Amino acid sequence: MIPRTDLVVRPRTTTDVPPLVEVLAEQQPASRYPFRWPLPFPAEEFVARAGEEAAWVARVDGRVAGQVAVLGVADDELGRAWCAATGLAPADLAVVASFFVGTRHRGRGVGRALLATAVGWVRERGRLPVLDVVQGHAAAVRLYTSAGWRTVGEARPPWLPDEEPPVLLMVLDPGAGER
């Protein structure tokens, strides 16, 4: 493992998007995130999504290492399932999304720092963080579970191949994941 010497998490800027696309492409073969690759649209639209409420980039030793974003909850199968599981309205929830870390920076606290930043932002606004994760993304499922997230349901989004198990719908209850 390469020691981490300088980790900075800050709001993402437009100049961060091209190097983030490179990080996304570099880590995809190992993580299978995003699940469909190549994407059927420009990767820049995956990194910087329409409707984002906030997004952050992690830099290690001055180089882009990963990102996380927060989106509102849509009126779709996933949104309705999160609302049903929590008893909350969409406006009371926020989706942690577009979360990835470059392969060489895994296991160094970069993902946890990004996740904590997004969760903190959501909680400061009095909302409950939610996310969906492909069951086959075992490292991501382990990260979320170890951080206190719990599974509240399953869904089958249109992009998921039929042979794959449903995605897990997770929430981070108030006070969970805090140390």
Side-chain angles (χ1 to χ4, degrees), residues 77 81 135 151-156 165-169:
E77 178 187 359
Q135 291 188 49
T151 301
V152 295
E154 296 181 343
R156 181 160 289 288
V167 298
L168 300 177
L169 302 179

Side-chain angles (χ1 to χ4, degrees), residues 21-99:
V21 167
E22 292 176 14
V23 170
L24 181 69
E26 174 274 325
Q27 64 79 52
Q28 197 283 334
S31 71
R32 294 179 60 221
Y33 180 81
F35 197 75
R36 290 186 299 177
W37 195 262
L39 291 166
F41 51 83
E44 291 81 2
E45 293 175 16
F46 184 89
V47 170
R49 298 181 185 193
E52 281 180 347
E53 295 182 16
W56 298 268
V57 63
R59 296 179 65 89
V60 175
D61 296 331
R63 297 181 61 177
V64 169
Q67 83 148 18
V68 67
V70 173
L71 307 170
V73 172
D75 182 16
D76 59 12
E77 178 187 359
L78 277 66
R80 289 187 293 276
W82 282 313
C83 291
T86 63
L88 297 173
D92 296 324
L93 305 172
V95 182
V96 174
S98 191
F99 176 35

Side-chain angles (χ1 to χ4, degrees), residues 93-115:
L93 305 172
V95 182
V96 174
S98 191
F99 176 35
F100 58 91
V101 174
T103 305
R104 67 181 287 221
H105 298 292
R106 294 208 175 129
R108 298 172 62 194
V110 176
R112 287 196 183 275
L114 283 164
L115 189 57

